[in-house]
Amino acid sequence: YLKISKLALAFAIIHSKPPGKSCKEYTEHLAKTVSKQDFGWKSKVEALEAEVLRLRQELLLNKICPRIRLENDASAETVLDQECIDPMSYSSQLEDSGCDVSNDYAFDSSGIASDFHESEHNVNTSKRWLERVPPLNLCCTGKEESLTVPVQFLQHLLEIRKLSERGILQADFTELENDSFTICNSVSQLLDGLTIFYNSPKFPVSNFLSEAVCVLISLITDSKLSNHVLKKCFKKLEEFKKNLIQIILRNSTVNRFQALHAVSHTLVLLARNNILRNSLISLLLSEVRQFAEQLLQAHQIQAMYDITRYENIFLLCMILEQLLQNEAEDSNVSSSDYDGEEKIKFLKNLDQIILHLSDEFPLFSLYLWRASVLLNSSQI
């Protein structure tokens, strides 16, 4: 049937082609015309899908918070005023200084906690909450436009959650179970938008993108919302972490250090959620182990190795060490929670790898040894 259809189309093109044009030229002209029509329809469909998602988000918010319970108007207004924190306070902006990196992105757990403390509960509430959920006034341009809808929805969700804890709003978050599509789509759009930015970052980082990261981290660390998000979006979050790791390993630009530290900072922030931290440790153990084995093989046969990957692997080693230290310090989380198989693979023959690489690659061997010490000490 397909062959007959193609043959019929070919005859139709031959019979209808205008004089002075070859069949090839006329076919290309028809293809361009059809593709333009397809592009127009695609843009219309995308716009309609975006509008449907926005309406579903608004409907879900209204289901979660159908009415408002106020203990008294005066006290509610006071609390709302206190909750109005500047959403643009997240971190200082990086400057494109070449190789120098801002201290905000240092791998220090206390530093990360203090930098993020001011912004993790950002809200943008007003007295209009007493009537309906207000639209956020966040300015964005270019690629950031795709982030506007999911950031607004998720930020409103966080605001309702916080206000419900204070007793200002009465909310039913079991509705998230009944409408998994909306929460999944919103989180997916947010993660896709952040991935696009990290693939081709521009500095200084805009306030809107900083706010998007804040919303993501607040969402996965919220005691009640994180369970819903992880249940519905765990695979997407895993894909996001893998993408960030590959962005770190592949980047070969000269002034890449600030961009890579920004990605590393986001990975460390994602690890504030224990479940994501455990899976991230497994991913990092796998990447570092595979690179160590490839480097050893190249060294033994005196072959060329990927210098860019070698330079970038140290960031993954630093993140891994940071997370293993956090794991050891966190008495509430067992070190056996993350994938034991990856841990066994990493430690297997590691002493031999370090022994053979220590003369030629002393720094990398040192990082491998430090990671093995942390793994063994946590086991003990």
Side-chain angles (χ1 to χ4, degrees):
Y1 177 79
L2 184 60
K3 288 181 179 178
I4 293 172
S5 300
K6 287 181 177 179
L7 189 61
L9 178 61
F11 274 111
I13 291 172
I14 292 170
H15 284 297
S16 62
K17 78 176 184 68
K21 267 192 176 183
S22 67
C23 288
K24 182 181 179 182
E25 291 173 342
Y26 186 52
T27 303
E28 290 174 350
H29 167 72
L30 292 175
K32 287 180 181 177
T33 304
V34 172
S35 64
K36 286 179 181 177
Q37 292 175 353
D38 287 344
F39 181 78
W41 280 111
K42 281 182 181 179
S43 61
K44 288 179 181 178
V45 168
E46 288 174 358
L48 290 172
E49 285 178 344
E51 179 63 15
V52 168
L53 178 60
R54 188 191 67 78
L55 292 172
R56 291 190 67 150
Q57 290 170 342
E58 188 174 335
L59 179 62
L60 180 57
L61 289 175
N62 286 328
K63 286 181 178 179
I64 292 172
C65 185
R67 61 185 182 275
I68 298 164
R69 177 172 56 84
L70 293 177
E71 294 179 359
N72 62 73
D73 293 342
S75 63
E77 291 181 8
T78 304
V79 173
L80 286 169
D81 291 336
Q82 291 173 352
E83 294 295 334
C84 292
I85 303 173
D86 181 10
M88 304 311 178
S89 63
Y90 171 67
S91 184
S92 61
Q93 302 303 314
L94 293 177
E95 296 177 359
D96 190 8
S97 58
C99 298
D100 189 24
V101 180
S102 169
N103 288 332
D104 291 338
Y105 286 83
F107 290 87
D108 176 68
S109 58
S110 60
I112 289 171
S114 61
D115 289 341
F116 193 74
H117 178 71
E118 293 180 1
S119 59
E120 66 177 338
H121 298 299
N122 285 340
V123 291
N124 184 19
T125 56
S126 69
K127 295 176 184 178
R128 287 181 294 173
W129 263 110
L130 306 179
E131 300 173 1
R132 61 185 297 274
V133 177
L136 295 183
N137 184 21
L138 295 174
C139 298
C140 57
T141 56
K143 295 178 180 178
E144 299 172 10
E145 290 179 0
S146 61
L147 287 172
T148 308
V149 173
V151 168
Q152 286 181 342
F153 167 67
L154 296 172
Q155 195 169 44
H156 284 322
L157 205 59
L158 290 164
E159 290 165 0
I160 293 174
R161 167 84 173 98
K162 192 166 186 180
L163 292 173
S164 66
E165 280 188 336
R166 300 289 184 89
I168 299 170
L169 298 179
Q170 186 176 5
D172 180 15
F173 288 97
T174 58
E175 288 293 336
L176 291 175
E177 296 287 347
N178 302 327
D179 190 0
S180 59
F181 171 83
T182 302
I183 187 75
C184 282
N185 226 339
S186 301
V187 174
S188 294
Q189 283 190 5
L190 176 58
L191 297 178
D192 289 340
L194 290 174
T195 302
I196 291 171
F197 165 73
Y198 284 129
N199 269 308
S200 54
K202 292 182 180 180
F203 294 101
V205 180
S206 72
N207 290 330
F208 181 78
L209 283 163
S210 298
E211 180 68 8
V213 174
C214 288
V215 168
L216 174 62
I217 305 306
S218 297
L219 193 67
I220 64 170
T221 53
D222 186 276
S223 58
K224 190 166 278 188
L225 295 178
S226 62
N227 293 328
H228 296 284
V229 173
L230 291 177
K231 191 183 295 183
K232 309 296 181 185
C233 313
F234 184 76
K235 288 184 178 179
K236 188 67 180 181
L237 285 163
E238 287 293 287
E239 180 187 337
F240 179 62
K241 289 186 294 183
K242 290 177 182 177
N243 287 337
L244 294 188
I245 289 173
Q246 291 307 313
I247 287 171
I248 291 176
L249 290 174
R250 290 196 311 262
N251 198 317
S252 59
T253 56
V254 176
N255 289 337
R256 64 183 181 272
F257 303 102
Q258 287 184 307
L260 295 187
H261 274 272
V263 178
S264 303
H265 185 66
T266 301
L267 279 172
V268 173
L269 289 177
L270 286 171
R272 290 166 64 89
N273 179 285
N274 290 333
I275 296 175
L276 295 181
R277 178 173 68 186
N278 295 331
S279 64
L280 180 54
I281 288 175
S282 296
L283 288 173
L284 294 172
L285 285 172
S286 176
E287 287 292 341
V288 174
R289 174 184 58 81
Q290 290 178 30
F291 179 79
E293 292 173 351
Q294 293 168 6
L295 187 62
L296 175 61
Q297 185 178 5
H299 177 62
Q300 288 175 337
I301 62 176
Q302 297 297 307
M304 294 292 293
Y305 63 91
D306 191 339
I307 296 177
T308 298
R309 202 174 180 89
Y310 175 76
E311 291 174 343
N312 295 338
I313 198 71
F314 287 101
L315 275 174
L316 297 190
C317 292
M318 293 167 70
I319 299 170
L320 177 61
E321 186 173 332
Q322 163 100 34
L323 300 187
L324 290 175
Q325 287 176 343
N326 292 346
E327 181 99 350
E329 293 169 2
D330 190 350
S331 58
N332 296 323
V333 181
S334 170
S335 61
S336 62
D337 285 344
Y338 54 84
D339 192 355
E341 185 180 348
E342 283 301 334
K343 179 179 176 179
I344 293 170
K345 287 180 180 179
F346 184 84
L347 293 174
K348 185 180 180 181
N349 300 325
L350 186 63
D351 291 340
Q352 290 297 319
I353 294 175
I354 293 174
L355 180 64
H356 287 93
L357 294 180
S358 57
D359 288 338
E360 191 73 23
F361 307 99
L363 184 58
F364 182 58
S365 300
L366 178 62
Y367 271 106
L368 290 177
W369 175 78
R370 287 159 68 100
S372 68
V373 169
L374 286 169
L375 286 170
N376 288 321
S377 62
S378 64
Q379 186 175 10
I380 294 170

